[in-house]
C-alpha cells in the first residue's frame, strides 16, 4: 500500500510541487500541479491543481474526460457554453471535446482534484475563429474577459 501524509499548505509528503505546464507554452496564470496518484492498474491519474487569487487554467479541449472535485476555495468554470460558480466539494465532469477553463474568484486560492486517463491525447487550443465563435455567447464572453 501507499500512504502519503498530508502536509500543511495543500501539499503531500513526497509529492513534487510542479508548474502547471511549461512556462510560455500556452496561456495560463498562477497555477501549480501535483500528481497525487498515477496508477497503471487504474489506467488513471489523480492530480491536484491550485491557482492563486488571480489564477486561471488554459482554455482547451481534448478527447479525454476530466472528473473534478473542488478541494479548496471557490471560482468559476467554463464547460462548453456554460459558466458555473463552483466551491469546495462540488463535483464537475468535463465531457470529451468540450472547451473548458477554471478561474479563481479574485482574492481566493482555488484548488481542485482532477481525475484523468493515464494515456490521453494532447489538449487543443482554440483557433482565432473558434475563439470568436465562443465569444458570441455573452456569458462565455464575460467569463473569458474575467468579468465573471
Ligand atoms: Mn483539460
Amino acid at each position: 500500500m501507499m500512504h502519503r501524509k498530508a502536509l500543511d499548505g495543500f501539499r503531500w509528503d513526497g509529492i513534487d510541487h510542479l508548474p502547471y505546464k511549461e512556462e510560455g507554452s500556452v496561456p495560463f496564470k498562477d497555477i501549480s500541479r501535483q500528481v497525487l496518484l498515477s496508477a497503471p492498474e487504474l489506467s488513471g491519474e489523480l492530480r491536484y491543481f491550485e491557482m492563486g487569487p488571480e489564477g486561471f487554467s488554459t482554455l482547451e479541449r481534448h478527447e479525454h474526460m476530466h472528473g473534478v472535485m473542488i478541494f479548496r476555495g471557490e471560482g468559476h468554470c467554463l464547460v462548453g457554453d456554460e459558466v458555473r460558480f463552483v466551491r469546495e466539494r462540488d463535483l464537475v465532469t468535463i465531457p470529451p471535446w468540450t472547451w473548458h477553463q477554471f478561474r479563481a474568484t479574485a482574492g481566493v486560492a482555488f484548488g481542485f482534484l482532477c481525475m484523468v486517463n493515464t494515456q490521453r491525447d494532447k489538449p487543443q487550443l482554440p483557433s482565432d475563429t473558434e475563439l470568436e465563435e465562443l465569444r458570441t455567447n455573452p456569458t462565455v464572453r464575460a467569463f473569458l474577459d474575467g468579468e465573471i
Side-chain angles (χ1 to χ4, degrees):
M1 65 101 72
M2 179 273 284
H3 174 200
R4 292 192 187 280
K5 294 198 176 209
L7 306 175
D8 290 342
F10 290 79
R11 307 260 180 125
W12 287 266
D13 187 32
I15 303 284
D16 291 334
H17 189 258
L18 303 163
Y20 171 55
K21 290 177 180 174
E22 210 174 298
E23 202 67 48
S25 56
V26 289
F28 64 88
K29 194 176 169 189
D30 193 12
I31 172 164
S32 64
R33 168 172 59 103
Q34 295 175 79
V35 180
L36 305 181
L37 295 170
S38 184
E41 303 90 332
L42 285 170
S43 308
E45 288 185 7
L46 182 65
R47 300 94 51 87
Y48 178 63
F49 296 98
E50 190 174 292
M51 48 199 89
E54 303 295 319
F56 55 85
S57 63
T58 304
L59 175 62
E60 61 178 33
R61 70 175 177 184
H62 36 67
E63 185 179 24
H64 64 272
M65 199 183 152
H66 292 311
V68 171
M69 178 184 270
I70 312 306
F71 199 64
R72 179 181 193 179
E74 58 170 65
H76 282 81
C77 64
L78 169 69
V79 181
D81 58 5
E82 287 190 79
V83 176
R84 296 287 178 90
F85 170 73
V86 289
R87 56 185 286 259
E88 228 167 270
R89 302 191 301 279
D90 282 0
L91 290 163
V92 179
T93 57
I94 315 291
W97 295 118
T98 308
W99 295 114
H100 57 283
Q101 187 172 39
F102 289 84
R103 182 185 295 277
T105 296
V108 178
F110 177 47
F112 58 88
L113 297 166
C114 179
M115 258 173 69
V116 281
N117 300 112
T118 311
Q119 302 287 336
R120 55 187 182 272
D121 59 318
K122 194 169 175 270
Q124 292 180 358
L125 304 184
S127 67
D128 290 347
T129 314
E130 286 163 339
L131 200 54
E132 219 170 280
E133 203 179 302
L134 281 165
R135 291 177 63 85
T136 58
N137 179 317
T139 307
V140 175
R141 186 174 53 233
F143 175 86
L144 293 174
D145 291 343
E147 292 160 9
I148 295 180

